[in-house]
Amino acid sequence: EIIPATVTTFGSFAFNGCVKITEISLGANVTRVEQMAFDNMTATIHCPTQAIADMITNSNSSSTSAQPTLIVG
């Protein structure tokens, strides 16, 4: 799944539990990732910057569920 570059925010639980998604590519305009937006999924998420990858990691920090694989670059 390629997320359009116009998307800047992922709300709480946006992709939580979406087990059928295997890969997501994010645009560089992401400025906010809310609580557990990508929690409980095992997709590979391509992040254009380390800052975006950190937002995803921080949003899922209290979770013990499955986590996505983050690739920066």
Side-chain angles (χ1 to χ4, degrees):
E1 300 290 323
I2 298 174
I3 306 298
T6 55
V7 174
T8 60
T9 301
F10 292 94
S12 296
F13 303 95
F15 289 94
N16 185 294
C18 292
V19 296
K20 291 189 177 187
I21 295 175
T22 59
E23 193 167 7
I24 299 173
S25 294
L26 302 179
N29 294 326
V30 175
T31 58
R32 184 177 173 132
V33 177
E34 296 180 355
Q35 177 184 9
M36 302 206 185
F38 295 95
D39 185 46
N40 197 23
M41 65 182 310
T42 57
T44 298
I45 302 177
H46 298 272
C47 305
T49 67
Q50 185 62 49
I52 294 172
D54 291 345
M55 281 190 269
I56 293 170
T57 299
N58 292 337
S59 78
N60 293 344
S61 64
S62 64
S63 176
T64 57
S65 299
Q67 297 298 305
T69 300
L70 304 176
I71 298 176
V72 178

